[in-house]
């Protein structure tokens, strides 16, 4: 069968914008602050940054390199380089991505609904934002409409292809987001009790740290960098041969951590100002931020608040694009299906897979109290987050490290990086990436995964 023409990014900046767009999303602005809040604040931040820069950045380099070398979707990349059954690892990643997008799209729908309710509705006059959030997420009609709208928007952009769709949009949206977050931080820091929030976030108390803290930080790092499921392999497959993989990976990692760090700096002063609990969980951003927009008065509040939630939607959009692109690339590469029908079929399927997550916040009791493990009852969406994001992504990171170090081989890996980075060999970054991928990353990720699975699901206390 004749292969269809594969897309590519127009420039290194195009790749960086798209990869950073994939990385920066709800993971930074919604998930990172609530995970930090649940895991004790600053100590979590320190462990998180360690995971991002030491454990995950080499894995980011590995994913880009594998993708660029093979010029294939994750399944095709593993198969082409590794032969045998290695393609299965790529396929697992694709399934993980499909399941992540199913719930991610629901949260994106909440953000979209909050944008509309803040700008044009009466959300800011509700006062009790915690109970508003509870009612809002239990409301089936809104959720259905807004997450459908979100999936349609994602599908339209992905159908547009690599340059005209993915690259153009991310380049515009990312800088605007940064500016609005910075503006809100400055405002938030001037409020009473902001200091308490800042010290919760920046002064570490390591006595709070438990084995679970490492797991949460590690899986959050994978989620935030879009690693472990092949999104970056796929984007890497559109990356030009003459561009520098290592510096691009460093830039993407730095941008992503900067936005996560700034989100914390935005959220925690507001949480303490409003005397809320930092341990609120997934509702944290949706509860903390409306309070501040309300403070800004009936004219400015809806304007700034609406802009914020709109940009949150855009950040989510550049991530959903990358999540959808993975199965689309798989189907177009492997089965020679055209891009548009592939997008329509896969986006519809994922939307349907998202329905249980949508109904898991009070609408349907069975999905709301879906499973009990680790001494707590979890809703359907949390179960998906645990299996596919918290466990699935680090598993993918573990596998790609082993794959590169022991199957492909560090020599061929370095040969690929040398295109666009001719002096990679012998440099400190080569040694760092080699040691990390060959030993430290698989060891650390593997150990944390095993301990967590034993503890959470089998109740076996390792420490
Ligand atoms: N990195 C995205 C975020 O932080 O919101 C989420 C994500 C996108 C995870 C793409 C995984 C992925 F492949």
């Amino acid at each position: 069968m004749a292969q269809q023409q594969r897309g590519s990014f127009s420039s290194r900046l195009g790749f960086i914008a798209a990869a950073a767009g994939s990385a920066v999303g709800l993971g930074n602005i919604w998930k990172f602050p609530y995970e930090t809040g649940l895991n004790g604040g600053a100590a979590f931040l320190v462990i998180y940054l360690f995971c991002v820069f030491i454990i995950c950045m080499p894995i980011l380099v590995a994913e880009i390199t594998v993708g660029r070398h093979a010029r294939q979707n994750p399944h095709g990349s593993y198969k082409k380089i590794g032969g045998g059954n290695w393609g299965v690892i790529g396929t697992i990643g694709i399934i993980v991505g499909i399941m992540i997008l199913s719930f991610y799209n629901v949260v994106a729908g909440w953000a979209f609904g909050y944008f509309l309710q803040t700008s044009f509705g009466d959300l800011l006059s509700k006062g009790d934002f915690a109970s508003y959030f509870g009612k809002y997420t239990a409301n089936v009609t809104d959720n259905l409409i807004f997450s459908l709208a979100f999936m349609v928007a994602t599908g339209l952009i992905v159908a547009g292809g690599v340059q005209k769709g993915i690259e153009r949009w991310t380049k515009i949206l990312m800088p605007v987001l940064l500016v609005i977050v910075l503006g809100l931080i400055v405002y938030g820091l001037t409020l009473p009790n902001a200091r308490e929030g800042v010290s919760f976030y920046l002064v570490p108390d390591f006595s709070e740290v438990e084995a679970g803290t490492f797991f949460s930080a590690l899986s959050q790092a994978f989620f935030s960098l879009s690693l472990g499921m092949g999104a970056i392999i796929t984007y890497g497959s559109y990356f030009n041969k003459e561009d520098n993989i290592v510096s691009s990976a460093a830039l993407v990692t730095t941008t992503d951590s900067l936005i996560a760090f700034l989100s914390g700096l935005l959220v925690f002063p507001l949480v303490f100002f409003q005397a809320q609990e930092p341990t609120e969980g997934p509702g944290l951003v949706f509860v903390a931020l409306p309070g501040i927009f309300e403070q800004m008065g009936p004219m400015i509040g809806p304007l700034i608040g609406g802009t914020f939630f709109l940009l949150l939607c855009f950040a989510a959009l550049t991530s959903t694009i990358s999540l959808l692109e993975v199965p689309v690339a798989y189907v177009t590469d492997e089965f020679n299906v055209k891009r548009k029908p592939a997008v329509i079929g896969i986006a519809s399927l994922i939307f349907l897979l998202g329905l249980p997550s949508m109904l898991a916040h009070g609408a349907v009791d069975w999905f709301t109290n879906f499973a009990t493990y680790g001494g707590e009852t979890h809703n359907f969406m949390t179960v998906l987050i645990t299996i596919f994001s918290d466990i699935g992504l680090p598993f993918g990171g573990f596998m790609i490290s082993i794959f590169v170090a022991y199957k492909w081989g560090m020599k061929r890996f370095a040969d690929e990086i040398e295109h666009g980075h001719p002096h990679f060999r012998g440099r400190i970054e080569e040694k760092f990436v080699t040691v990390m991928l060959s030993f430290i990353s698989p060891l650390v990720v593997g150990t944390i995964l095993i301990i967590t699975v034993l503890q959470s699901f089998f109740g076996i206390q390792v420490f």
Side-chain angles (χ1 to χ4, degrees):
M1 245 185 306
Q3 274 293 315
Q4 296 175 52
Q5 175 81 34
R6 285 189 109 251
S8 68
F9 290 112
S10 65
S11 63
R12 177 168 169 261
L13 185 65
F15 169 83
I16 290 169
S22 166
V24 175
L26 295 170
N28 306 58
I29 299 167
W30 162 69
K31 198 163 183 288
F32 173 75
Y34 89 67
E35 291 283 359
T36 309
L38 284 173
N39 287 288
F44 178 85
L45 175 67
V46 173
I47 300 170
Y48 172 76
L49 290 175
F50 172 83
C51 291
V52 166
F53 283 98
I54 308 297
I55 309 282
C56 289
M57 195 159 64
I59 295 177
L60 181 62
V61 172
E63 284 207 15
I64 303 173
T65 312
V66 164
R68 187 175 76 173
H69 186 77
R71 294 247 172 263
Q72 288 285 318
N73 67 87
H75 166 89
S77 295
Y78 269 103
K79 199 170 69 184
K80 188 167 171 183
I81 297 176
N85 289 326
W86 277 101
V88 174
I89 302 299
T91 314
I92 294 176
I94 296 167
I95 295 169
V96 165
I98 288 175
M99 296 314 292
I100 290 182
L101 181 52
S102 79
F103 72 75
Y104 197 94
N105 188 58
V106 172
V107 182
W110 298 346
F112 191 50
Y114 263 58
F115 155 64
L116 295 176
Q117 293 297 341
T118 306
S119 307
F120 312 111
D122 58 356
L123 190 154
L124 296 185
S125 62
K126 295 289 182 202
D128 184 355
F129 298 113
S131 71
Y132 183 86
F133 178 71
K135 283 199 207 98
Y136 188 80
T137 48
N139 173 339
V140 180
T141 326
D142 272 21
N143 282 306
L144 209 60
I145 297 172
F146 297 142
S147 56
L148 180 64
F150 216 87
M151 190 58 91
V152 170
T154 307
L156 286 174
I157 296 180
V158 173
V162 176
Q163 281 189 16
K164 277 196 275 158
I166 299 170
E167 185 179 325
R168 188 174 67 187
W169 280 94
T170 38
K171 266 192 199 160
I172 304 171
L173 300 174
M174 296 281 301
V176 187
L177 177 72
L178 186 62
V179 171
I180 188 121
V181 167
L182 284 174
L184 286 172
I185 290 174
V186 172
Y187 183 82
L189 288 176
T190 62
L191 296 168
N193 294 340
R195 274 182 92 97
E196 273 179 61
V198 173
S199 71
F200 173 78
Y201 186 47
L202 296 182
V203 182
D205 172 4
F206 286 100
S207 66
E208 297 281 315
V209 172
E210 323 165 340
T213 316
F214 288 93
F215 173 61
S216 303
L218 184 75
S219 46
Q220 174 60 23
F222 273 97
F223 185 80
S224 194
L225 285 172
S226 304
L227 287 179
M229 52 143 289
I232 301 295
I233 297 183
T234 308
Y235 277 9
S237 76
Y238 309 133
F239 193 60
N240 297 318
K241 270 281 189 230
E242 60 278 7
D243 289 334
N244 184 331
I245 292 178
V246 177
S247 65
S248 306
L251 213 64
V252 171
T253 310
T254 311
T255 311
D256 186 59
S257 335
L258 183 72
I259 304 274
F261 176 76
L262 292 176
S263 307
L265 206 53
L266 165 63
V267 169
F268 290 110
L270 305 188
V271 168
F272 282 79
F273 163 64
Q274 294 167 97
Q276 291 160 345
E277 288 300 326
T279 48
E280 169 79 31
L284 189 67
V285 163
F286 292 98
V287 174
L289 283 160
I292 198 71
F293 301 136
E294 181 197 23
Q295 289 278 321
M296 293 173 168
M299 295 293 287
I300 307 287
L303 189 73
I304 304 281
T307 315
F308 174 82
F309 282 115
L310 185 64
L311 286 166
L312 181 58
C313 291
F314 285 139
L317 189 60
T318 51
S319 302
T320 53
I321 292 168
S322 71
L323 282 158
L324 183 59
E325 176 63 20
V326 176
V328 167
Y330 171 63
V331 171
T332 51
D333 282 348
E334 300 290 324
F335 305 103
N336 214 20
V337 176
K338 290 241 158 51
R339 190 166 257 274
K340 282 205 178 79
V343 167
I344 294 172
I346 295 169
S348 312
L349 171 77
I350 297 178
F351 179 73
L352 293 178
L353 288 172
L355 294 179
S357 294
M358 199 181 293
L359 303 174
H361 302 272
V364 173
D365 195 53
W366 195 67
F367 291 127
T368 307
N369 301 299
F370 189 71
T372 304
Y373 53 86
E376 274 173 60
T377 301
H378 300 274
N379 67 39
F380 184 83
M381 184 156 136
T382 319
V383 174
L384 287 193
I385 295 182
T386 307
I387 298 175
F388 293 100
S389 170
D390 294 350
I391 296 176
L393 297 181
F395 171 76
F398 174 81
M399 288 312 297
I400 197 141
S401 314
I402 301 281
F403 178 70
V404 166
Y406 301 107
K407 177 68 199 173
W408 194 20
M410 295 311 294
K411 187 190 162 305
R412 274 170 293 208
F413 173 73
D415 285 344
E416 179 60 45
I417 295 186
E418 286 249 326
H419 297 284
H421 188 12
H423 306 296
F424 175 63
R425 279 215 170 77
R427 281 197 175 206
I428 177 97
E429 63 241 43
E430 189 213 1
K431 295 190 178 75
F432 173 62
V433 170
T434 305
V435 170
M436 291 312 297
L437 292 179
S438 312
F439 308 110
I440 316 274
S441 298
L443 202 69
V444 171
V445 175
T447 311
I448 293 181
L449 269 182
I450 291 170
I451 291 176
T452 310
V453 171
L454 289 178
Q455 274 185 356
S456 313
F457 295 102
F458 298 100
I460 300 169
Q461 211 57 37
V462 184
F463 289 115

